[in-house]
């Protein structure tokens, strides 16, 4: 066994021991005496969710005593705020309609943007609790969907006056990331801060601590594109994002089906697709037979449903030499591989396509569909189909029309069990998705990752992603953990 593998095995064993110790001691030292102060669902989750325990441990530098204190504080807050029961109905409608707080878009590192439009906030103690609940609602909603993936907070101070600055509210937001949602902060981008507020944000820096101050990014229209590209910036920030907040419905995750889903593909896209196919024949990643090239349809959909028989036959022939992803997300209906990231090669590497493997782990047919935040960029085949009990389906994701894969792009896999008597044709699937209750739908999100080196193996990609995410995450965790530890020790 190599030294690297030995170290990795030791670290995994040590982490498992720490997680076990946290669970045992929290149950013995805290739950026994304070069971009424916690939501039983949080206590149960702590015993079952390794990632959740690990997020608190990492934030506290793997010091168990400090982790237990943090869990105690966090769990008491979660019960006081009734976090597990927060829904749209918990938030006053006017607060959702005003559009002061919401999730939309991604920064250049692929982190979700958490917008706080300060001009819509007026300091008012009567509405403060509802505003805090709205912050908790969005963060909890995000945390359940994107386990451990950080957000970038966008403090938009344009058109803001002193009436909108509420330091108690700002401190609550910071505490959310320092105590209640460890691991979830990438950075805080402050846009267009008036000079009169300099003193206020000096106070914010003291709350963050000296090491975490680097997470504050003060920007203007001239430099905000250092962090967020124009496609996710509104016009008043110099961007081109046409998004306009409205409610209802609740702003979701920006996943869409293609605008031209039922229309023909433009001729240049068709030509580009043929060029891709010809180059694919020279690549060891995948092979496509000449027969398939000549029978390529003249018209099609960017994310097009096809019959299951054709789907299985064509995908099987294309995937004969496709390296299967190694990581697996184990959902209640489908196992999805890869677990978190789709790997696309750079233009030079030639590895243009990615593979998603779905495996049905139920005793019923499972309908699935794939959506994306960039519908104009990708072909997904099949994007809307079904999977028989115990069977697997390979889904090919490929950029088209010369468009470039971005780390900001996301894919959403949706799945739901079908009745045994249901048909699985296009018409039946369309009707099924119209009628299936939302709480019966399994959802899983995938990020995009661009690999610059030529043709790395699946194992190399997996290890590379693991190491990168660990290193990046720990930088953020330790900045906040250190600042909080220092503030805990400082005199009142």
């Amino acid at each position: 066994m190599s030294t690297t593998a030995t170290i990795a095995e030791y670290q995994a064993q040590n982490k498992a021991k720490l997680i076990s110790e946290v669970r045992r001691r929290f149950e013995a030292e805290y739950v026994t005496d304070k069971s009424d102060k916690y939501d039983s669902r949080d206590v149960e989750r702590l015993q079952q969710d390794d990632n959740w325990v690990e997020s608190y441990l990492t934030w506290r530098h793997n010091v168990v005593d400090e982790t237990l204190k943090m869990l105690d504080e966090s769990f008491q807050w979660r019960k006081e705020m009734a976090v597990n029961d927060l829904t749209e109905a918990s938030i006053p409608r006017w607060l959702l309609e005003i559009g002061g707080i919401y999730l939309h878009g991604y920064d250049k590192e692929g982190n979700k943007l958490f917008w706080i439009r300060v001009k819509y906030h007026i300091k008012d103690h009567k509405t403060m609790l509802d505003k805090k609940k709205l912050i908790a609602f969005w963060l909890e909603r995000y945390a359940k969907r994107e386990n451990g993936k950080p957000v970038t907070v966008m403090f938009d101070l344009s058109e803001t006056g002193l009436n909108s600055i509420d330091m108690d509210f700002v401190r609550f937001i910071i505490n959310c990331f320092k105590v209640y949602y460890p691991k979830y902060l990438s950075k805080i981008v402050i846009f267009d801060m008036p000079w009169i507020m300099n003193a206020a944000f000096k106070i914010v820096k003291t709350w963050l601590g000296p090491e975490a101050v680097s997470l504050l990014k003060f920007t203007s229209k001239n430099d905000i594109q250092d962090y967020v590209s124009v496609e996710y910036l509104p016009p008043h920030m110099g961007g081109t994002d046409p998004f306009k907040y409205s409610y209802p419905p609740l702003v979701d995750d920006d996943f869409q089906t293609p605008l031209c889903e039922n229309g023909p593909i433009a001729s240049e896209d068709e030509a580009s697709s043929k060029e891709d196919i010809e180059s694919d024949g020279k690549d060891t990643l995948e092979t496509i037979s000449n027969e398939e090239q000549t029978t390529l349809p003249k018209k099609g959909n960017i994310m097009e449903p096809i019959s299951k028989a054709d789907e299985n036959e064509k995908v099987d022939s294309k995937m004969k030499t496709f390296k299967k992803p190694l990581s697996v997300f184990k959902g209640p209906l489908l196992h999805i591989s890869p677990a978190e990231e789709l790997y696309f090669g750079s233009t030079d590497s030639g590895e243009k396509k990615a593979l998603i493997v779905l495996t049905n782990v139920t005793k019923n047919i499972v309908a699935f569909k794939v959506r994306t935040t960039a519908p104009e960029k990708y072909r997904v085949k099949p994007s809307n189909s079904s999977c028989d009990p115990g069977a697997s389906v390979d889904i090919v994701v490929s950029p088209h029309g010369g468009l470039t894969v971005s780390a900001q792009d996301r894919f959403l896999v949706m799945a739901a069990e079908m009745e045994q008597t249901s048909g699985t044709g296009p018409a039946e699937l369309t009707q099924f998705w119209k009628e299936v209750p939302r709480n019966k739908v399994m959802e899983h999100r995938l990020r995009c990752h661009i690999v610059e080196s030529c043709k790395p193996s699946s194992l190399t990609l997996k290890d590379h992603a693991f190491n990168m995410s660990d290193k990046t995450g720990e930088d953020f965790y330790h900045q906040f953990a250190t600042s909080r530890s220092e503030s805990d020790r400082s005199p009142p």
Side-chain angles (χ1 to χ4, degrees):
M1 184 178 292
S2 67
T3 303
T4 302
T6 303
I7 293 173
E9 183 179 352
Y10 170 78
Q11 290 175 337
Q13 291 174 350
N14 187 55
K15 184 69 72 175
K17 289 179 181 178
L18 288 172
I19 290 173
S20 178
E21 183 181 351
V22 167
R23 285 172 171 157
R24 177 182 57 78
R25 288 186 56 187
F26 190 74
E27 186 73 30
E29 300 173 23
Y30 288 85
V31 175
T32 303
D33 298 329
K34 297 182 179 180
S35 59
D36 59 326
K37 294 185 178 181
Y38 307 137
D39 187 320
S40 61
R41 289 167 290 185
D42 290 333
V43 176
E44 182 179 353
R45 180 184 169 193
L46 190 74
Q47 296 298 327
Q48 298 174 352
D49 189 342
D50 288 356
N51 289 333
W52 207 29
V53 183
E54 188 175 348
S55 69
Y56 285 95
L57 269 168
T58 305
W59 203 254
R60 305 308 294 165
H61 298 282
N62 292 329
V63 178
V64 173
D65 287 342
E66 295 299 317
T67 301
L68 294 172
K69 292 176 185 177
M70 189 178 184
L71 281 166
D72 177 45
E73 183 178 353
S74 178
F75 278 25
Q76 289 192 55
W77 172 81
R78 288 177 65 84
K79 182 168 183 179
E80 290 169 6
M81 293 289 288
V83 171
N84 287 313
D85 297 311
L86 287 177
T87 65
E88 284 182 67
S90 309
I91 313 299
R93 185 183 176 95
W94 70 268
L95 202 51
L96 290 168
E97 288 177 340
I98 200 170
I101 302 166
Y102 56 89
L103 289 162
H104 171 71
Y106 301 90
D107 69 10
K108 285 190 171 182
E109 296 174 336
N111 302 309
K112 191 74 175 179
L113 301 180
F114 187 33
W115 291 88
I116 299 175
R117 304 289 304 280
V118 181
K119 73 175 184 179
Y120 294 121
H121 177 85
I122 303 298
K123 187 172 182 178
D124 182 356
H125 291 295
K126 294 179 181 178
T127 61
M128 178 57 68
L129 180 59
D130 287 329
K131 291 171 183 175
K132 289 181 177 180
K133 283 185 176 180
L134 181 56
I135 292 285
F137 166 76
W138 276 119
L139 289 178
E140 185 69 10
R141 178 183 174 89
Y142 178 81
K144 286 178 178 177
R145 293 184 171 191
E146 305 281 357
N147 188 15
K149 298 172 187 174
V151 298
T152 290
V153 178
M154 299 289 287
F155 263 106
D156 182 2
L157 291 165
S158 57
E159 304 176 47
T160 298
L162 286 177
N163 289 340
S164 299
I165 297 299
D166 187 338
M167 299 310 290
D168 178 46
F169 189 50
V170 173
R171 186 164 198 168
F172 170 78
I173 293 170
I174 289 174
N175 278 340
C176 279
F177 293 105
K178 290 183 68 173
V179 184
Y180 312 137
Y181 292 90
K183 291 179 66 173
Y184 282 95
L185 182 65
S186 164
K187 53 188 164 291
I188 299 174
V189 178
I190 299 167
F191 176 76
D192 208 12
M193 187 181 75
W195 67 268
I196 200 170
M197 296 179 189
N198 283 337
F201 273 87
K202 284 181 180 178
I203 298 174
V204 172
K205 290 181 179 180
T206 65
W207 295 337
L208 288 171
E211 292 194 22
V213 166
S214 62
L215 299 183
L216 281 178
K217 311 295 181 183
F218 293 90
T219 64
S220 65
K221 203 170 183 178
N222 295 328
D223 54 10
I224 193 169
Q225 290 180 35
D226 291 346
Y227 306 104
V228 183
S229 61
V230 291
E231 63 184 303
Y232 285 122
L233 288 175
H236 75 274
M237 291 184 176
T240 59
D241 189 357
F243 171 80
K244 293 187 183 298
Y245 181 92
S246 64
Y247 178 86
L250 196 67
V251 174
D252 208 341
D253 283 325
D254 317 319
F255 290 100
Q256 305 172 35
T257 49
L259 297 176
C260 55
E261 182 171 2
N262 297 317
I265 296 171
S267 58
E268 67 261 27
D269 294 341
E270 188 172 331
S272 173
S273 177
K274 289 181 179 179
E275 289 174 5
D276 287 346
I277 290 172
E278 289 169 3
S279 64
D280 289 339
K282 302 173 185 176
D283 200 310
T284 58
L285 181 64
E286 56 186 317
T287 56
I288 302 177
S289 67
N290 291 330
E291 181 181 353
E292 286 176 334
Q293 293 181 38
T294 56
T295 58
L296 196 70
K298 294 293 183 183
K299 293 186 178 182
N301 303 328
I302 296 175
M303 296 175 69
E304 50 189 319
I306 59 176
S307 72
K308 287 182 66 180
D310 289 344
E311 160 199 318
N312 292 336
E313 180 183 349
K314 291 182 179 181
V315 171
D316 282 348
S317 66
K318 292 178 183 179
M319 293 298 105
K320 283 178 182 177
T321 59
F322 219 126
K323 288 184 176 68
K324 299 289 185 180
L326 297 182
S327 59
V328 180
F329 166 78
K330 296 182 178 180
L333 306 181
L334 296 174
H335 287 183
I336 301 174
S337 185
E340 294 187 354
E341 292 186 319
L342 291 178
Y343 288 94
F344 295 87
S346 64
T347 303
D348 294 336
S349 73
E351 296 176 354
K352 299 179 181 178
K353 302 187 180 183
L355 177 67
I356 304 172
V357 182
L358 308 181
T359 302
N360 184 349
V361 294
T362 75
K363 296 180 180 180
N364 297 316
I365 295 173
V366 170
F368 68 85
K369 61 181 177 179
V370 182
R371 303 178 76 190
T372 178
T373 56
E376 73 285 354
K377 287 187 180 181
Y378 299 95
R379 292 178 181 271
V380 179
K381 295 183 180 182
S383 70
N384 186 359
S385 188
S386 62
C387 186
D388 293 331
S392 294
V393 173
D394 291 339
I395 299 174
V396 183
V397 181
S398 55
H400 80 99
L403 296 172
T404 304
V405 175
S406 168
Q408 300 171 23
D409 299 340
R410 293 289 191 277
F411 286 85
L412 171 68
V413 178
M414 304 173 68
E417 281 188 278
M418 303 183 74
E419 298 291 339
Q420 294 286 359
T421 56
S422 302
T424 57
E428 289 88 351
L429 286 171
T430 298
Q431 189 62 30
F432 171 77
W433 285 110
K434 287 180 180 178
E435 297 174 353
V436 65
R438 180 75 185 228
N439 62 0
K440 299 293 185 182
V441 178
M442 173 191 133
E443 295 185 351
H444 185 65
R445 288 153 179 75
L446 296 166
R447 294 168 290 180
C448 292
H449 187 89
I450 300 94
V451 182
E452 298 300 333
S453 59
C454 289
K455 302 180 183 177
S457 67
S458 296
L459 181 61
T460 302
L461 294 180
K462 180 172 179 286
D463 289 346
H464 175 65
F466 178 80
N467 292 335
M468 277 189 60
S469 61
D470 273 2
K471 183 177 186 301
T472 305
E474 286 179 6
D475 290 343
F476 293 141
Y477 309 156
H478 292 165
Q479 282 176 325
F480 259 118
T482 301
S483 67
R484 177 162 176 79
S485 179
E486 290 175 355
S487 65
D488 289 344
R489 292 194 298 268
S490 62

